[in-house]
Amino acid sequence: MNSHDAHVAPGHGSDAEAGHVAPVEGADLAGLAALLADGTRAAFCLALLDGRAWTANELARHAAVAPSTATGHLNLLVDGGLLAQERQGRHRYVRLADPDTAELIERLASMAPRRPRPPRSLPAVGRGRALARARTCYDHLAGALGVALTDAMTARGLLDWTHGLALTADGTAWLAGLGITLPPAARRPPVRSCLDWTERRPHLAGAAGAALCRHAFEAGWIVRIGTGRAVALTDAGERALGEQVGLEGEWGRVDGGR
């Protein structure tokens, strides 16, 4: 063997040239991507954005797959850290692992290409419109209503975007006036920007977003439409948010959204 044969320049006759990439220590991004590269598993994660715990049978019906198929997919998602599970008696419930996972799913959904949909029934179209209009994204408000509320809070000086999203002193005082006390920042960021997958603009997430959504339910400002993620702003909620943050627009219940 000649001396020059013993040395192979990078990219010439190496694994890189043959299309082989050596394993790299660190985060298994490919493994995470593979978990969401299946349509059934992706449908499960999107359904769980409602923030509630579902059984395997419920998710199987939602995705139109056999219960045994759903169980196999759920096991992969739990083992991969995207879902957490809990048992009550004979029932197994699963939910998204944490708020960060929910925001990851929502952000990926906003980046995904829109596929043409087959013709749908009028009730299905109504449900889709209701979901885009106002919904929960795990534990905070999303859709057109979530984005509009974020804009209104910004216009009132409750949120500031100068150096990234931040809750202002006026914002903290406003929340306190509603009886909302945020947990220590070390547990969860007070505010976080979450890219809305239907509006393609940010809505408020983080501890403040979750607390505000919870308060809106408890105060009767919003109600769920049916059993899904869609919500509607009530007359009381429209008045309250109009007076307090200047929220504008007609936010009545959407026909066909039930």
Side-chain angles (χ1 to χ4, degrees):
M1 179 187 300
N2 295 329
S3 59
H4 68 272
D5 291 331
H7 175 74
V8 180
H12 296 279
S14 64
D15 283 346
E17 183 181 36
H20 302 293
V21 179
V24 178
E25 293 184 2
D28 185 9
L29 182 59
L32 175 62
L35 286 175
L36 295 172
D38 177 88
T40 298
R41 292 195 292 273
F44 288 173
C45 290
L46 288 171
L48 289 166
L49 278 175
D50 68 357
R52 294 179 286 185
W54 292 48
T55 66
N57 285 338
E58 289 170 338
L59 287 169
R61 289 193 295 270
H62 174 78
V65 298
S68 58
T69 300
T71 297
H73 285 301
L74 291 174
N75 288 340
L76 290 173
L77 290 169
V78 170
D79 291 343
L82 290 179
L83 301 186
Q85 65 177 347
E86 56 187 68
R87 293 186 179 275
Q88 293 186 6
R90 295 180 301 171
H91 298 288
R92 175 203 192 193
Y93 293 87
V94 294
R95 64 173 70 246
L96 293 178
D98 50 37
D100 286 342
T101 301
E103 290 172 23
L104 170 66
I105 300 300
E106 180 85 2
R107 183 171 290 273
L108 288 175
S110 73
M111 298 173 65
R114 304 262 85 81
R115 294 184 298 181
R117 293 182 176 181
R120 298 182 295 169
S121 65
L122 286 177
V125 170
R127 287 192 295 270
R129 289 175 178 171
L131 198 66
R133 189 178 184 86
R135 65 181 181 275
T136 53
C137 173
Y138 191 60
D139 60 1
H140 55 271
L141 283 172
L145 176 60
V147 171
L149 179 57
T150 302
D151 288 345
M153 292 176 65
T154 300
R156 284 293 174 100
L158 308 180
L159 297 173
D160 182 79
W161 297 78
T162 304
H163 302 291
L165 182 59
L167 186 67
T168 66
D170 286 345
T172 301
W174 178 66
L175 292 176
L178 297 177
I180 296 175
T181 302
L182 299 181
R187 295 177 53 189
R188 186 179 182 184
V191 292
R192 179 176 291 178
S193 171
C194 183
L195 185 62
D196 196 280
W197 69 270
T198 51
E199 294 296 300
R200 306 298 179 96
R201 294 183 56 223
H203 59 242
L204 176 64
L212 186 56
C213 181
R214 185 168 56 251
H215 177 82
F217 275 118
E218 293 172 351
W221 294 356
I222 57 174
V223 293
R224 287 199 182 275
I225 300 177
T227 59
R229 296 170 56 199
V231 300
L233 189 66
T234 65
D235 290 341
E238 192 168 342
R239 286 193 301 271
L241 292 174
E243 293 170 358
Q244 297 194 37
V245 297
L247 183 70
E248 299 179 346
E250 296 294 330
W251 299 100
R253 192 180 297 277
V254 180
D255 293 337
R258 290 181 183 272

